[in-house]
Amino acid sequence: MRLKRRYLITVIVGCFVSWNLLTYYMLTSKQPIKEPQTVKDQQQIETKLSQLEREITNQLKNNEDLLKDLKHLKNDISSATSPPPELHEDIPKDDVLPILMFACNRVTVSRSLDQLLKYRPSAEKFPIIVTQDCGHQPTATVIKQYVEKHGVKHIQQPDLREISLPWPQRKFVGYYKIARHYKWALNQIFLAFNYSAVIIVEDDLDISPDFYEYFSATYPLLKEDPHLWCVSAWNDNGKANLVSDEPELLYRSDFFPGLGWMIERSLWLELGPKWPETFWDDWMRHPGQRQGRECIRPEICRTSTFGKKGVSNGLFYEKHLKYIKLNEKSVPFTKIDLSYLKKETYDKNFVKKVYDAPLMTVTEVVLAAKPELPAARVQYNNKNDFKAAAKKLGIMDDYKAGVPRSAYRGVVSFVFRGRRIYLAPPQTWKAYDPTWS
């Protein structure tokens, strides 16, 4: 691989030098210009000189562009051929679940790395790779300490060029850079390092003690079930007052949650070639990408964020994100039978549980009527019904491509003052309406 890389760079440099020699020869081998005899001769000479000046200017610009392209190509080749973390011989490559941490300019990346290392049961099964954008040297220095002491791998996004946007979109430039970084880094994981799956985190996440156990146990389900396309550690309605004290509870969800999530290589081969320029997470929630597939998500989050400052300028953090409950009780998921999460079994049980629950109004739920009922169903019939009920009950009230956060078959399950509530459409529900937003 190194010989191929050197050969490719040598060929490009050779072409570059040859082109400049040829240009030099052509420019210096022109016939000497005679002294002007007439005004007409002088005009012809001036025209030729102007033309020659333009040719030299264009050639200099072409040379600069070629040098830039050569530099980017060299960086890309160097990054793409960098070997993945070494693996233990006893662990098959398909069973390895690398942790890919996205970083930029937070020196507090150490907080997330410390937790990943603290709870990690095996360095061979869970190699940690930090992919850094921004070129922020203080952050790179922090990461380097973990490379030297703990064998963490550090890769750096080579394309740090500014992205030019028209005035109304300039405020979103950060989201464009994030999407560009994600595409590059996931190409490294799946195309250069050739891993079969990856667990994706960011540099502002805390993790639960059973973070690795959770993903280890759900990985076989992800591989076997064609209706699943991700496993997430996140519950969008995971505030402490909206979840039960049952950390073992897991669900299927039509909503792509993110914030600590796992996908397989096959999915990236599908999504990578059409990856968007910006807002990649909302793009994944569109019907064209989701294609009716689902994610597994927990009752109680296995990640929480401490990143108040970022490209979103703290959007939702003070109002919502800082109240998310992080699980503190370790659950031995790999020793639990999770076959109930298989689609056919899950759908049958889920529908029965939801629509067997007694129907109550939002007002009755808020006033704690019928306290003897451990669970109740609140029905919504349209978008406005859902939003009004969600606001009164304290859950997220927005949609993405018509899907409410954490919903499955249109149903959002949560706890309100100690009672399980299902905010659900009529039982005749067939599909989401992507126009709901």
Side-chain angles (χ1 to χ4, degrees), residues 173-408:
V173 68
Y175 294 100
Y176 280 80
K177 291 180 179 180
I178 289 172
R180 180 175 68 183
H181 186 194
Y182 263 77
K183 182 173 184 178
W184 177 83
L186 288 170
N187 274 335
Q188 301 308 299
I189 289 294
F190 291 120
L191 304 184
F193 301 164
N194 201 33
Y195 284 114
S196 299
V198 66
I199 300 170
I200 299 165
V201 296
E202 297 175 9
D203 60 353
D204 61 347
L205 293 181
D206 291 326
I207 65 169
S208 66
D210 58 356
F211 174 88
Y212 292 100
E213 179 77 1
Y214 171 70
F215 282 109
S216 294
T218 52
Y219 181 42
L221 291 171
L222 181 64
K223 290 196 295 184
E224 296 167 8
D225 190 340
H227 299 285
L228 288 175
W229 72 327
C230 90
V231 175
S232 175
W234 186 257
N235 173 7
D236 280 280
N237 289 307
K239 292 181 181 179
N241 63 318
L242 295 174
V243 296
S244 70
D245 190 24
E246 300 169 284
E248 71 278 5
L249 285 184
L250 305 181
Y251 301 83
R252 295 180 77 102
S253 175
D254 295 315
F255 190 85
F256 169 72
L259 289 175
W261 49 289
M262 174 172 61
I263 59 170
E264 291 186 280
R265 183 175 186 270
S266 57
L267 181 65
W268 181 248
L269 295 180
E270 172 193 330
L271 298 181
K274 57 178 181 176
W275 194 250
E277 291 185 336
T278 189
F279 301 121
W280 65 267
D281 47 352
D282 284 344
W283 174 84
M284 284 189 68
R285 293 163 181 150
H286 290 173
Q289 279 64 253
R290 191 170 72 84
Q291 297 181 15
R293 292 173 291 195
E294 302 139 14
C295 294
I296 292 174
R297 60 101 175 161
E299 169 80 4
I300 304 176
C301 291
R302 264 57 188 187
T303 58
S304 65
T305 178
F306 57 86
K308 181 178 179 179
K309 294 183 179 180
V311 294
S312 63
N313 294 317
L315 185 64
F316 295 138
Y317 184 85
E318 287 296 332
K319 182 179 178 181
H320 179 72
L321 294 178
K322 77 175 185 179
Y323 299 106
I324 292 294
K325 179 179 180 179
L326 179 66
N327 180 56
E328 297 177 350
K329 302 176 183 177
S330 293
V331 177
F333 282 114
T334 55
K335 298 178 182 179
I336 296 175
D337 182 5
L338 299 181
S339 60
Y340 72 91
L341 288 167
K342 293 182 178 179
K343 186 171 179 61
E344 185 175 348
T345 302
Y346 185 87
D347 284 6
K348 181 179 178 180
N349 294 335
F350 182 79
V351 170
K352 178 174 174 55
K353 184 181 295 185
V354 170
Y355 291 98
D356 280 355
L359 192 62
M360 293 179 65
T361 65
V362 174
T363 301
E364 288 176 324
V365 171
V366 172
L367 294 177
K370 304 175 184 178
E372 72 279 5
L373 296 179
R377 173 168 49 97
V378 174
Q379 183 167 300
Y380 69 92
N381 298 296
N382 53 53
K383 178 177 70 174
N384 292 335
D385 279 357
F386 177 87
K387 283 184 169 291
K391 286 181 179 179
K392 289 181 180 179
L393 297 171
I395 64 171
M396 301 290 282
D397 67 343
D398 61 327
Y399 293 86
K400 299 293 184 181
V403 183
R405 291 179 185 268
S406 78
Y408 188 64

Side-chain angles (χ1 to χ4, degrees), residues 10-22:
T10 301
V11 169
I12 294 174
V13 172
C15 293
F16 174 73
V17 174
S18 300
W19 178 260
N20 281 276
L21 289 174
L22 180 60

